[in-house]
Amino acid sequence: MLQFGMPTLIEIDRLADTMRLCKELSLSFVELNMNLPQYQADCLENISYLKSLQDKYQIGFTIHLDENLNVCDFNKAVAKAYIDTVERTIQVAKALEVPVLNMHMNHGVHFTLPDRKVQLFEQYQTEYTDSWKNFRAVCEDAAGGANIKICIENTNGYREYEKTAIEFLLKSELFGLTWDIGHSNSANNIDEKFILENKDKLCHFHIHDSLQKQDHMTLGTGEVDLKQRLSIAQKQNCRCVVETKTVTALKKSVFWLAQNAYI
């Protein structure tokens, strides 16, 4: 049986209220989103409080790292701040037995020329590659063999230089992939081939429906072949975040899962 969880919703400020809703919907975990002020590293380091909520509701956590995360920033002080934040979050994950940290690839800055766009991370490959080597080593040292996966999520299409970096990260047991099936559809499934070539590294799914460029829709209301995607999640034993953006859409999506005998 697949394990389903819910995202952090902007409609619900308090974690206790989020976990109460998670329990009411018979979901298994909450994905804490570090883009929000109440889920910054210093807040997540209140381990005793988060453990008390885990014990009360018998619900686990995954963590969504800040979407602005840029460990390859050419400003070393900026990059270090992001890396330090990930290190601290890994320690939180170890203390709370969090199995997944979800992250995006930052495309970086581009220069627009008359005939093309130049991605600076692609132009300065040596600096970019060195940053990922450092990041992987720091994360491996921080994790210390703990049962944690840092999963890289697809968004609007991986750049070729990002695929090279991801392949390097996936050589480490610490790293895996998140398949966001709604983002995938909105990007014309441009990343599907790459993801399926590395499907043994799939650990995590973000599930929501999509219709052309419209995203984060209630399950069953768009054009994504949900059952086909969920069959892959099941075969790879992945967790699935029902990543809608409102309480109403979440409840309707959970109802769709129940109707289709997933929960």
Side-chain angles (χ1 to χ4, degrees):
M1 185 71 76
L2 284 168
Q3 191 179 94
F4 293 95
M6 64 172 283
T8 306
L9 298 172
I10 199 69
E11 295 172 298
I12 307 175
D13 279 336
R14 296 178 65 249
L15 178 56
D17 294 334
T18 298
M19 295 186 75
R20 188 176 301 112
L21 175 61
C22 187
K23 188 72 171 180
E24 288 172 4
L25 295 175
S26 298
L27 299 173
S28 300
F29 64 93
V30 172
E31 185 149 286
L32 305 175
N33 193 316
M34 293 184 73
N35 292 289
L36 299 175
Q38 63 268 41
Y39 300 117
Q40 296 304 303
D42 55 335
C43 301
L44 299 183
E45 286 167 341
N46 189 351
I47 301 298
S48 60
Y49 174 64
L50 269 67
K51 273 190 173 177
S52 70
L53 290 177
Q54 282 182 317
D55 292 342
K56 179 177 180 179
Y57 293 102
Q58 291 299 294
I59 285 169
F61 297 123
T62 58
I63 298 175
H64 194 309
L65 294 166
D66 188 339
E67 291 179 24
N68 294 315
L69 187 77
N70 188 358
V71 302
C72 301
D73 197 294
F74 298 137
N75 183 325
K76 297 302 182 186
V78 172
K80 184 178 185 303
Y82 282 122
I83 293 169
D84 288 349
T85 300
V86 176
E87 278 191 278
R88 291 171 66 186
T89 308
I90 288 171
Q91 299 308 322
V92 168
K94 289 162 72 173
L96 296 172
E97 298 183 353
V98 171
V100 169
L101 307 183
N102 185 79
M103 65 174 281
H104 290 188
M105 297 295 283
N106 193 310
H107 297 322
V109 174
H110 67 266
F111 279 17
T112 303
L113 302 183
D115 59 337
R116 69 191 190 281
K117 289 182 179 179
V118 177
Q119 296 286 158
L120 296 192
F121 286 158
E122 186 171 32
Q123 181 77 10
Y124 296 96
Q125 280 281 338
T126 299
E127 291 84 353
Y128 185 68
T129 300
D130 287 348
S131 293
W132 284 117
K133 287 179 180 177
N134 176 62
F135 179 70
R136 192 179 90 173
V138 169
C139 290
E140 288 174 332
D141 185 59
N147 189 24
I148 298 167
K149 293 288 186 182
I150 301 175
C151 293
I152 304 155
E153 178 188 352
N154 59 296
T155 53
N156 59 353
Y158 291 130
R159 312 304 198 247
E160 288 304 315
Y161 57 89
E162 291 175 334
K163 289 180 185 178
T164 300
I166 294 167
E167 286 169 347
F168 167 75
L169 293 174
L170 293 180
K171 290 176 182 176
S172 167
E173 286 300 311
L174 179 59
F175 289 86
L177 291 176
T178 295
W179 192 354
D180 187 306
I181 62 175
H183 290 338
S184 195
N185 185 73
S186 293
N188 297 316
N189 293 308
I190 190 171
D191 291 319
E192 182 173 358
K193 181 175 182 290
F194 178 79
I195 290 169
L196 291 178
E197 285 172 349
N198 294 281
K199 67 179 180 181
D200 59 317
K201 291 291 187 173
L202 274 170
C203 305
H204 202 53
F205 271 61
H206 283 178
I207 62 169
H208 44 100
D209 222 325
S210 168
L211 185 62
Q212 298 176 4
K213 297 300 180 184
Q214 192 176 354
D215 213 346
H216 294 286
M217 295 169 62
T218 302
L219 296 180
T221 63
E223 62 190 1
V224 178
D225 188 343
L226 298 171
K227 292 184 179 180
Q228 186 267 348
R229 296 296 196 239
L230 287 170
S231 71
I232 296 172
Q234 200 155 27
K235 285 175 185 174
Q236 300 305 128
N237 196 30
C238 297
R239 291 174 181 80
C240 300
V241 179
V242 185
E243 204 190 28
T244 56
K245 295 300 183 181
T246 67
V247 173
T248 298
L250 176 64
K251 288 180 176 179
K252 289 180 178 178
S253 294
V254 170
F255 180 70
W256 184 92
L257 288 170
Q259 277 190 314
N260 288 276
Y262 288 106
I263 56 176

